[in-house]
Amino acid sequence: MKTTPLPLLLLYLLLLSPSAKAEGSGPNEGNKTNWQEQLASVSVGTDATSTDVQVTITDNDTLYAVKTNLGLAWVANITNNNDSVYKEGGAGYQPLYPHQKGFMNCTVKLNADIDLDAHYWMPIGKSSSSFYGTFDGNHKVIKGLKIDIEDTNTTNIYVGLFGYLRGDVRDLGIQVAAAGIKVKSKIVYAGALAGYNYGGFIQNCFAIGESDAAIDVESTSSEKLGGLIGENSGGSITNCYATLDVKGTLNGYTASIGGLVGYSQGIISHVYATGKIQATGQAYSQMGGVAGYIVQNTLSHALAANQEGITAANTTTSDFLGRVCGKVNSTFNDTHCDTATCYASTKIRMNNKVTGVGEDTNGKYFDGINADTDTDLSKLFPTEGADAVWEYSCTSNGNNTDNLPILKGFTSNLQGTTAKTDVFDSPLDLSTLTANSGTSPTSTNETQTFVADSLIFSNTEGWMHRQGTAEQRTAFSGRVKGTGTAVQLAIKTDTAAVLSFANGTVLTGPTTDYKSAINIAASQTEGKKTDVTLCSEGTVTVKSGGNTQAVFSQGTSTCHVDPKNRFLFYGIISRSGGNFYGMIGWEWEVPPTADVTVNWDGGSVTIPCDNDNSYKAVATNPDGDNITVRVGKDFQKGQLEGMSTYDYVSTFTFNDQGPRAYAVYNNMTSAADKGTADNPYVIDLATMSTSATAADSGYTYSEANNRKIVTLGCADGMTEAYYSIENKAAAPSS
């Protein structure tokens, strides 16, 4: 059937009158015009001659292809009028209206980028007349979005491109104009994409702004504000990001504000936010870099990169501020923040503090994992594979992973680039440190002996690096990497802190007497004590400068070593006080020349010992109990420091099984004759040797007639023998 655009009639003009508005009284100044007041000349039809909206009707769907800003305003107007539904033979465009209110079971698709800067926008949908359809952004950008609403009579105001959304949105970019999104009302829900998302699936969307663009709300009651979504109720937000600043001004009540979403009860994954978060006048704060508050929600694969931080005035002890999420309500079992996939920049400050605040019986703030310029973002935002929707902004050299990722498929260049160095601190690279003897070099004193570097943490500055005796301090991410030789790291904090070491880090201390590789030093703040946790991201090697120097030293401070991954310490651990947890060490009279293998319930580690690693003492951080030690194949025994001369043990334990206080065993020696219960013969099926003897190895091995023959044996005079049969070649790789 051939169809043509229908003529404009009087009834239709009445339907388009300015009385058809969303919640709110519109622009708060008389000279600010509204898009819904411009619809007298809109062109809607079923063929290509329709200027603004082309309608395609099929058995399963009605497609509304939006070509212009007027076309988008027409969609908003139809949504916001409950009576704007299909009527056969009706006046004006009524035969082209959706069959159900709010475009239910219809698709609205953008055919081009839309510029809204000429007039102010009234949101699509309100609580009584929501948008129910599918909004396909088609990788287009709605730019120049500006909203200015003042309504002190309506209780709940929903503000954004969409006000109240019950449908799905995909592949859409939004650029907020410099004029921003401004609201004055009672209870406000605001976000660039939607004020309220009720059960909708939001995917592959972003919200950015022109210079100084922001979401700026004043209310006499509570606010739920986000860079993308104000409140997410039962919906999902996937593969999205927002860079907008968000500001709330309240007269008491609660501020739930996030860089991406203010309040969420649903699913959030593969998202990031970079905007500044602010609130004033509130009685209670729930504010975070990604989300303000979550309950019955799953948050995963998220990144907070809000370098300008989170600021809440009028804070009390009951406020919640977190780098990733302000408050995670833990009273429901289905509230979950994935601690392995949520990251945050160490540049973020919450009321000028590095760590989050807020904890009660219902929940706690969530800061996430430290992220820096070296953090691999590919697990959060994959760029490879058929389903990948992320990419890095192109440069002359191709994709640049030194920037934050952007969404694929958008032809507009409005997404721009955000350099990692703008939003992240860098790790401290040990290989870049310059030796410093601590004295001024002269013509006869040019030999520089060691680096005396301080790693200083405060809850206002974060981690700072001060090289040698210089006063200049440089911020770093709290992560150490690379290889450093003749280096002493003096660690001091004024509050509990975490210092991470990248996998493969190697630190060798100075050869100078009384200088250790790691020194847990006195706090930089009088009246406080250093409290630090050392974390390994894989295997970290720390060596003293020699057998007369210490690998680790400690005064009146507290140090925990996280058991998740391994530290290998070579050298004496010297302690003059304080508390040290998580490490256990062993000392020999003569340095072992075969690898030291430490086994415990559920794990093991090998500490290489040879001519290049000739140390009388080694230590590591097991994450289990029932610890045994072998040098080569020989099980070892030793004495716990302070035990009687005759009290040897071959199964080693920490001093205190609760906090796993440091323990050292000295006078290490072979546990017993080979083949005994304490020192069984170790037969490794992967390294069977035809030269093995029964007395030495516990077996003989021969090959004849295509057969491999192993004969168990033992030393002369033994009436029974013990064996440990192993196959190291079959062990899984770490």
Side-chain angles (χ1 to χ4, degrees), residues 404-456:
L404 293 184
I406 59 176
L407 288 168
K408 286 183 178 180
F410 289 85
T411 55
S412 167
N413 62 358
L414 291 176
Q415 291 188 82
T417 60
T418 300
K420 283 185 176 180
T421 52
D422 289 341
V423 295
F424 295 136
D425 289 317
S426 297
L428 177 65
D429 190 344
L430 297 178
S431 67
T432 65
L433 302 184
T434 304
N436 180 355
S437 66
T439 61
S440 301
T442 67
S443 57
T444 59
N445 174 24
E446 294 296 340
T447 302
Q448 297 178 324
T449 55
F450 67 95
V451 177
D453 280 33
S454 296
L455 308 186
I456 305 168

Side-chain angles (χ1 to χ4, degrees), residues 168-209:
D168 302 335
V169 182
R170 62 175 182 262
D171 303 328
L172 176 64
I174 298 173
Q175 184 201 49
V176 175
I181 296 174
K182 294 182 172 64
V183 188
K184 291 183 180 181
S185 191
K186 293 183 177 180
I187 301 174
V188 180
Y189 303 77
L193 178 60
Y196 198 98
N197 174 42
Y198 189 92
F201 290 88
I202 313 298
Q203 55 185 338
N204 311 340
C205 296
F206 65 83
I208 59 177

Side-chain angles (χ1 to χ4, degrees), residues 201-326:
F201 290 88
I202 313 298
Q203 55 185 338
N204 311 340
C205 296
F206 65 83
I208 59 177
E210 294 179 351
S211 177
D212 299 325
I215 297 173
D216 190 350
V217 173
E218 296 182 32
S219 71
T220 57
S221 187
S222 61
E223 298 176 356
K224 297 177 180 178
L225 316 177
L228 191 74
I229 302 291
E231 178 170 345
N232 176 47
S233 178
S236 68
I237 305 171
T238 306
N239 292 321
C240 295
Y241 73 91
T243 65
L244 290 163
D245 296 342
V246 186
K247 179 182 179 181
T249 302
L250 300 90
N251 184 17
Y253 300 94
T254 300
S256 300
I257 307 177
L260 189 85
V261 58
Y263 185 109
S264 184
Q265 185 177 9
I267 297 172
I268 306 172
S269 65
H270 301 283
V271 298
Y272 73 83
T274 66
K276 177 169 60 175
I277 312 300
Q278 296 175 280
T280 59
Q282 78 288 355
Y284 183 67
S285 304
Q286 301 171 157
M287 299 165 61
V290 173
Y293 176 90
I294 66 171
V295 59
Q296 294 180 294
N297 186 99
T298 297
L299 175 63
S300 69
H301 300 85
L303 171 66
N306 319 72
Q307 72 272 24
E308 293 190 70
I310 302 166
T311 305
N314 305 329
T315 54
T316 67
T317 55
S318 60
D319 285 309
F320 290 79
L321 308 176
R323 293 191 312 188
V324 174
C325 183

